């Protein structure tokens, strides 16, 4: 059955020909509760060029959108900015339909695409290279490890567009193509979530890239990421948001992340949170058994004070906490005031393992880890309240002194 979809024009010579994945809820472990999009773009120049493709099951949708503008066989070039399968999965189908003269990608991209799909005939490009399309040209900029070794971005000078692949994107399926047509609160939340879960560990590289942008001499009017809405207004705003995410500067917000078996750690978590609140610092508690890890990471990235609490089970930290510890370790959170706590019956490794992780991440721990036996007594819950109040004050001092 032939699918029917239409392209949408985004500039005088460029069309959006991507796919909307309304129903994806698990993107390699990332909770995409608002779905996602896989953006691909068609440049109509003397050399007609497809920039990126879509996830494999959406190849028909992309080809149908292309066909609403031009016969796919008229396409001359394909540019693959990123080899991850959400953007390259439809490449074999695209190549079969288009029979392109050339496929441009980075050297690492050529190797990776070759492993995924075999040799489709790749031409490796690097920073400083460009390809002449007739009226305009596409210039390539390596963005290695943002967030794969193959990652690069492409600038089309005729329409002043930056095809930024994953950068400046978000997982969001929506009817409105442009970010400025959607509520800023949703844009900000989803960008922060995407950054926290995908790019946080490469924060230094993001800052270096943002710092290098003016020196690249690219006159960028529109940013076209491979996920979510596109940016044509207030580019400074999204660039500053990226810088904020990458810097992880302390903010007056706290999150208390906990797991609990019989309620003891929860009682401690709630008393701590109430202490934080008593100092006017915004705080929330998050039970690991009902919160997805990608949402927990978003909350952690957006907090200046984090408290992690868990019981001990089988002489180890409780499994749900071990999972999130492993996750935030990989994503390398920084610049936080941290507090480890928990409850145990006897051996008590749980809170100690959390404190050790915070040490490893070089997070500031003004108070030693705190652990109760079996059930917190009333003097102990008061101590947790006081600990929350004390660390909230320390957070405010840190923010005021920066
Ligand atoms: Fe959206 Fe790294 O792929």
């Amino acid at each position: 059955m032939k699918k029917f979809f239409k392209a949408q024009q985004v500039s005088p010579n460029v069309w959006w020909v991507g796919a909307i994945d309304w129903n994806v809820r698990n993107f390699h472990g990332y909770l995409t509760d608002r779905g996602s999009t896989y953006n691909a773009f068609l440049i109509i120049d003397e050399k007609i060029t497809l920039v990126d493709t879509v996830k494999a099951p959406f190849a028909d949708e992309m080809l149908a959108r292309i066909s609403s503008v031009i016969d796919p066989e008229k396409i001359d070039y394909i540019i693959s900015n990123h080899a991850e399968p959400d953007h390259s999965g439809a490449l074999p189908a695209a190549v079969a339909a288009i029979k392109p003269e050339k496929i441009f990608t980075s050297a690492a991209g050529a190797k990776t695409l070759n492993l995924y799909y075999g040799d489709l005939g790749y031409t490796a490009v690097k920073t400083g290279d460009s390809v002449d399309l007739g009226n305009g040209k596409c210039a390539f900029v390596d963005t290695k490890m943002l967030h794969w070794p193959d990652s690069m971005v492409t600038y089309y000078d005729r329409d002043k567009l930056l095809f930024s692949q994953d950068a400046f994107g978000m997982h969001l399926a929506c009817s409105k193509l442009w970010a400025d047509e959607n509520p800023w609160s949703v844009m900000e939340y989803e960008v922060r979530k995407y950054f926290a879960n995908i790019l946080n560990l490469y924060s230094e590289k993001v800052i270096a890239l943002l710092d290098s942008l003016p020196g690249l001499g690219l006159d960028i009017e529109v940013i076209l990421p491979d996920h979510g809405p596109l940016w044509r207004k207030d580019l400074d705003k999204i660039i500053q948001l990226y810088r904020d995410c990458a810097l992880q500067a302390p903010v007056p917000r706290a999150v208390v992340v906990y797991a609990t078996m019989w309620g003891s750690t929860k009682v401690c978590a709630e008393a701590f949170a109430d202490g934080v609140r008593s100092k006017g610092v915004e705080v929330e508690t998050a039970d690991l058994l009902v919160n997805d890890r990608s949402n927990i990471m978003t909350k952690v990235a957006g907090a200046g004070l984090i408290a992690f609490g868990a019981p001990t089970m089988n002489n180890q930290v409780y499994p749900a906490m071990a999972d999130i510890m492993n996750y935030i370790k990989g994503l390398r959170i920084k610049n936080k005031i941290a507090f480890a706590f928990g409850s145990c019956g006897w051996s008590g490794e749980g809170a100690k393992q959390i404190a050790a992780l915070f040490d490893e991440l070089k997070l500031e721990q003004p108070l030693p880890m705190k652990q109760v036996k079996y059930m917190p007594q009333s003097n102990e819950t008061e101590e947790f309240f006081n600990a929350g109040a004390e660390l909230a004050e320390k957070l405010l001092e840190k923010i005021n002194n920066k």
Side-chain angles (χ1 to χ4, degrees), residues 196 200-201 203 248 296-303 306 308 324-325 327-338 357-358 360-363:
N200 204 74
L201 72 164
S203 289
Q248 299 178 56
I296 293 282
M297 179 58 202
T298 311
K299 294 174 195 295
V300 167
I306 62 170
F308 278 30
I324 198 72
M325 286 166 64
Y327 195 57
I328 67 160
K329 180 180 173 182
L331 288 167
R332 293 190 206 154
I333 57 170
K334 63 181 184 184
N335 275 348
K336 317 253 177 232
I337 292 177
L357 172 68
F358 289 162
E360 193 180 336
L361 291 170
K362 298 187 171 54
L363 302 183

Side-chain angles (χ1 to χ4, degrees), residues 253-258 265-286 305 307 339 341 380-393 396:
R253 194 175 309 117
V255 63
V256 185
V257 176
Y258 70 92
T265 306
K266 183 181 181 186
V267 167
C268 302
E270 289 173 339
F272 182 91
D274 218 37
V276 173
R277 187 163 56 237
S278 74
K279 296 299 175 184
V281 171
E282 191 182 327
V283 62
E284 64 178 313
T285 65
L305 165 60
F339 178 61
F341 67 98
E380 289 176 311
T381 47
E382 188 174 352
E383 286 167 12
F384 274 100
F385 179 94
N386 292 338
E390 184 176 341
L391 293 184
E393 281 184 339
L396 294 174

Side-chain angles (χ1 to χ4, degrees), residues 70-146:
I70 197 166
D71 181 344
E73 287 196 355
K74 294 198 167 150
I75 294 174
D76 299 286
Y77 298 149
I78 297 176
I79 294 170
S80 175
N81 281 315
H82 182 21
E84 195 165 6
D86 50 330
H87 309 297
S88 69
L91 188 61
V95 169
I98 292 168
K99 302 173 192 66
E101 190 182 321
K102 288 191 171 176
I103 302 170
F104 297 101
T105 186
S106 65
K111 285 183 189 162
T112 310
L113 292 170
N114 196 46
L115 290 170
Y116 275 126
Y117 312 113
D119 186 5
L120 299 177
Y122 310 109
T123 301
V125 292
K126 60 184 183 311
T127 299
D129 290 347
S130 62
V131 57
D132 190 354
L133 303 188
N135 295 297
K137 69 175 198 285
C138 279
F140 307 107
V141 179
D142 284 321
T143 55
K144 188 178 176 184
M145 296 319 298
L146 287 175

